[in-house]
């Protein structure tokens, strides 16, 4: 899943693709680089971020969704607002990726159920503005698991079948470095939910926290290492900014881990 941020302030690429044309070009480049899905967002949810009004989010992302509707891969809309979900689905999106797991807006569950879209339910503790203020859990894996389990149940009760649901423990959303490490080490636990696991570690501060405090534009190597570890632990979908590099790392890792034919392009 390649990230297209149509925002002025995303933590790693804010402002790079705020204009429609630049965002559509980025989306097409990510597909050419190997993305199987694009995740288009118009609101930063980085730690400390303030919410953005629905009209602003709509103005940012709807032209981009329209511009990528014929691009040949499913489009996901990264939003916590039902009005934005509705408009994005009407414009051509097929997946709703919600950092509040469809609990941030009272209409989200019914919009998702009525649309037939697939959904990504992510765990977040609190709100972006304050989520990194000393987060605490008795057991982060069981705490996040219980929350996702209840959100999967809420989706099913609303009429969204389990085969259209993916889950994401929300790396960096109300978690310390130690919490994030625990979640990634014990990711297999989330397979018990019976839904594909999505992981977003790309360029996140976890990488810097485990290394030498590098800024977001110098976290590629650590992001690739974390992505491979997540896949080994059971992740099925990686939400990444650097698609070409991730696809290359995955191709080599898969070949060397064994299983299946090796499809090389040169000898
Ligand atoms: N991370 C971000 C945003 N959306 N969605 C899911 N399912 N999982 C994630 O880990 C996730 C997410 C944050 O990354 P980014 O969009 O690059 O930054 P920002 O929120 O600053 O726009």
């Amino acid at each position: 899943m390649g990230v297209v941020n149509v925002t002025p302030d995303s933590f790693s690429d804010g402002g790079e693709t705020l204009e429609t044309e630049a965002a559509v070009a980025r989306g097409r480049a990510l597909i050419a680089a190997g993305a199987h899905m694009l995740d288009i967002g118009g609101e930063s949810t980085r730690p400390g971020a303030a919410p953005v009004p629905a009209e602003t989010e709509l103005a940012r992302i709807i032209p981009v969704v329209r511009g990528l509707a014929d691009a040949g891969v499913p489009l996901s809309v990264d939003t916590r607002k039902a009005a934005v979900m509705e408009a994005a689905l009407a414009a051509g999106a097929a997946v709703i990726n919600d950092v509040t797991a469809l609990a941030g807006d009272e209409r989200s569950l019914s919009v998702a159920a009525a649309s037939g879209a697939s959904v990504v339910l992510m765990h977040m503790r609190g709100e972006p503005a304050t989520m990194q203020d000393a987060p605490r859990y008795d057991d982060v894996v069981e705490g996040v698991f219980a929350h996702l389990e209840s959100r999967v149940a809420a989706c099913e009760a609303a009429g969204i079948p389990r085969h259209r649901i993916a889950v994401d423990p929300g790396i960096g959303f109300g978690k310390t470095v130690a919490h994030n490490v625990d979640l990634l080490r014990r990711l297999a636990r989330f397979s018990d939910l019976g839904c594909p696991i999505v992981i977003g570690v790309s360029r996140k501060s976890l990488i810097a926290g485990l290394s030498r405090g590098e800024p977001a534009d110098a976290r590629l190597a650590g992001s690739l290492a974390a992505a491979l570890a997540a896949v080994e632990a059971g992740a099925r979908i990686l939400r990444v900014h650097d698609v070409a590099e991730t696809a290359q790392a995955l191709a080599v890792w898969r070949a060397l881990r064994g299983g299946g034919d090796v499809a090389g392009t040169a000898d």
Side-chain angles (χ1 to χ4, degrees):
M1 175 189 258
V3 178
V4 180
N5 280 323
V6 196
T7 60
D9 58 346
S10 286
F11 79 94
S12 78
D13 57 1
E16 280 180 21
T17 51
L18 183 56
E19 301 301 325
T20 302
E21 264 179 39
V24 170
R26 170 72 57 89
R28 291 190 188 274
L30 295 181
I31 295 167
H36 295 156
M37 190 189 309
L38 296 178
D39 190 36
I40 302 164
E43 177 187 47
S44 172
T45 48
R46 74 188 186 286
V52 164
E55 307 76 62
T56 307
E57 225 181 304
L58 287 167
R60 289 176 182 169
I61 68 160
I62 297 306
V64 178
V65 173
R66 287 207 188 101
L68 289 167
D70 68 349
V73 302
L75 304 179
S76 159
V77 57
D78 185 353
T79 186
R80 34 188 182 153
K81 298 186 189 73
V84 178
M85 295 171 193
E86 270 174 329
L89 294 168
V95 180
I96 298 167
N97 171 31
D98 184 355
V99 298
T100 71
L102 300 180
D105 182 324
E106 58 187 16
R107 287 200 313 117
S108 297
L109 274 175
S110 57
V111 166
S115 68
S118 295
V119 300
V120 179
L121 306 178
M122 199 199 79
H123 174 275
M124 171 167 68
R125 168 68 67 83
E127 283 288 309
T130 53
M131 67 189 176
Q132 290 307 109
D133 299 348
R136 288 176 56 85
Y137 300 82
D138 288 339
D139 177 331
V140 67
V141 174
E142 290 310 318
V144 171
F145 183 92
H147 175 76
L148 290 176
E149 189 176 40
S150 78
R151 295 311 302 157
V152 170
C155 283
E156 286 192 310
I160 305 169
R162 195 171 283 239
H163 70 262
R164 286 207 269 115
I165 304 173
V167 292
D168 182 338
I171 298 301
F173 284 83
K175 287 119 186 159
T176 63
V177 171
H179 292 142
N180 291 317
V181 167
D182 225 3
L183 286 165
L184 288 165
R185 281 189 181 156
R186 294 160 62 200
L187 196 62
R189 169 71 170 126
F190 295 94
S191 313
D192 295 343
L193 291 169
C195 304
I197 299 170
V198 179
I199 280 287
V201 280
S202 183
R203 303 181 182 175
K204 286 191 176 166
S205 62
L206 161 73
I207 308 300
L210 293 174
S211 183
R212 304 173 80 183
E214 294 87 344
D217 65 357
R219 297 177 186 163
L220 175 59
S223 299
L224 297 175
L228 296 181
V231 171
E232 179 146 72
R236 286 276 304 281
I237 299 172
L238 297 172
R239 182 182 182 279
V240 304
H241 305 85
D242 302 290
V243 171
E245 293 82 352
T246 306
Q248 185 185 76
L250 273 173
V252 172
W253 180 83
R254 281 202 181 111
L256 300 183
R257 293 294 291 181
D261 293 334
V262 176
T265 52
D267 56 12

